[in-house]
Amino acid sequence: MRTDATRRVLRALLTLLTFGTGLAPIGPAHAWSTDGHMVLTEAAVLATPASLPSFFRSGAKAIARDSRDPDFAKNRSLPALRNGEGPEHFLDLELLKGRSLPATRYGFIHQCARAKLDPDRVGLLPYALAEATERLALAFAESRQRPEDTHVQAKCRYLAGQVAHYAQDLCQPLHTTVHHDGKVRPDGSSPRTGIHSRIDDLITALRVEPSALAARQQVAPVESLMPAILSELKRSNALVTRVYMLEPKLRVKGARGLAPEVSDFAQERARASVRFTASLYATAWKLSGTLQLPKAAAE
Ligand SMILES: [Zn+2]
């Protein structure tokens, strides 16, 4: 059994090691731990309808591995990439003060300019997710033309990892709020209380098998992509109050594990993440059946 103090020392050591080698950043928008993303993604692929191609449904482990990449892209030694990637992982809904979100990235950037908001401070997560889902639809369309092409299959699996990451970040309530790491101070700064990483760790703390998370899920393509993403974002943001009510009970107490209320919350978010990710896979597959590809894509 590890004490909290030991865990803190180990975490500090790990941070030091990863910064020292330039391998991975640890930041407030890290999202479900990388292991958490892998569990949720494997479960999401297992939960997809049988209508999706078998190369995809049998590739759950590879897709799960690729779901970590968007966090790796926030590497502090790669400043151009980190700058572009960081805001793709969150959207602080309160900063929009009730304004509705435009359908496209540049529509949103123009709206931010009119409202004198910095888009990279508000965050761009819904757009990263919609674009990733449409990229997957494009790759699926290619796979419909050349079902035996293993290069196209690998491309689909890689892009599915990106969809999974952003979909699951969106289901972590602290990725949708100014209160992303403690209640925001009057000057707008974050107190960085560490609650964000304690929530991130909950999926792995559940110790649940992907097959269990995939069971009894209702998965179907969404009617319209961006409205579905925005509805899910609002559902996630509505849980911010509950997250802070759970705060005193968040610490994992050795072998006793999670407090029941915390476990219920983590289960609900894990299942929502899996259902949402799988429904976006089903959406991309359905959309791919309607796409016209340029002639060159068939060669
Ligand atoms: Zn992330």
Side-chain angles (χ1 to χ4, degrees):
M1 192 202 310
R2 281 180 191 164
T3 64
D4 282 345
T6 317
R7 283 168 64 90
R8 275 199 297 276
V9 170
L10 284 172
R11 193 184 289 269
L13 203 60
L14 184 66
T15 306
L16 204 66
L17 283 169
T18 50
F19 281 152
T21 55
L23 279 175
I26 308 285
H30 202 61
W32 306 122
S33 66
T34 48
D35 286 352
H37 275 299
M38 287 180 73
V39 169
L40 297 173
T41 304
E42 188 176 340
V45 178
L46 297 177
T48 50
S51 54
L52 268 78
S54 61
F55 80 81
F56 185 82
R57 302 189 78 224
S58 63
K61 296 252 183 234
I63 297 169
R65 247 186 4 246
D66 288 338
S67 73
R68 304 170 301 173
D69 278 27
D71 273 343
F72 296 160
K74 291 187 279 180
N75 192 311
R76 289 176 192 277
S77 301
L78 302 169
L81 180 60
R82 182 177 165 82
N83 182 266
E85 184 64 34
E88 308 285 77
H89 297 246
F90 65 91
L91 186 125
D92 292 353
L93 203 53
E94 299 86 351
L95 295 177
L96 296 177
K97 299 197 167 109
R99 292 179 194 90
S100 57
L101 279 147
T104 62
R105 178 182 292 262
Y106 279 98
F108 175 71
I109 289 171
H110 295 317
Q111 185 192 66
C112 284
R114 287 192 297 275
K116 299 198 178 348
L117 290 166
D118 294 330
D120 56 338
R121 285 184 176 264
V122 183
L124 291 140
L125 173 55
Y127 304 103
L129 178 54
E131 290 162 17
T133 307
E134 291 187 352
R135 276 185 214 282
L136 177 60
L138 205 52
F140 272 152
E142 224 180 318
S143 81
R144 284 178 187 266
Q145 282 190 341
R146 287 179 289 156
E148 306 305 324
D149 189 325
T150 54
H151 174 73
V152 174
Q153 293 175 3
K155 182 158 56 172
C156 292
R157 288 191 289 263
Y158 177 73
L159 292 169
Q162 308 264 311
V163 171
H165 186 100
Y166 298 126
Q168 293 156 17
D169 275 6
L170 189 136
C171 293
Q172 208 280 42
L174 298 185
H175 279 250
T176 69
T177 176
V178 291
H179 309 296
H180 57 82
D181 198 15
K183 291 281 180 70
V184 76
R185 296 189 184 109
D187 68 356
S189 65
S190 171
R192 311 255 166 174
T193 61
I195 187 174
H196 193 108
S197 64
R198 292 205 291 281
I199 294 288
D200 281 351
D201 289 343
L202 289 181
I203 303 296
T204 34
L206 271 179
R207 296 171 197 268
V208 62
E209 288 296 319
S211 56
L213 284 176
R216 302 179 312 283
Q217 291 276 11
Q218 302 273 347
V219 175
V222 301
E223 288 245 320
S224 183
L225 181 58
M226 196 44 123
I229 289 173
L230 297 181
S231 299
E232 196 70 38
L233 176 84
K234 284 177 187 160
R235 266 196 291 281
S236 185
N237 181 265
L239 294 170
V240 172
T241 306
R242 185 170 165 200
V243 167
Y244 281 93
M245 282 167 65
L246 290 172
E247 189 169 16
K249 301 192 169 180
L250 277 176
R251 292 211 180 270
V252 180
K253 291 194 179 68
R256 280 185 293 159
L258 301 173
E261 307 92 310
V262 175
S263 178
D264 288 350
F265 167 80
Q267 278 279 356
E268 187 280 325
R269 282 295 82 195
R271 290 191 64 80
S273 299
V274 169
R275 179 196 45 75
F276 184 46
T277 308
S279 71
L280 293 180
Y281 290 158
T283 305
W285 177 247
K286 186 179 171 193
L287 185 57
S288 72
T290 68
L291 293 178
Q292 297 282 335
L293 291 181
K295 201 162 160 277
E299 287 160 4

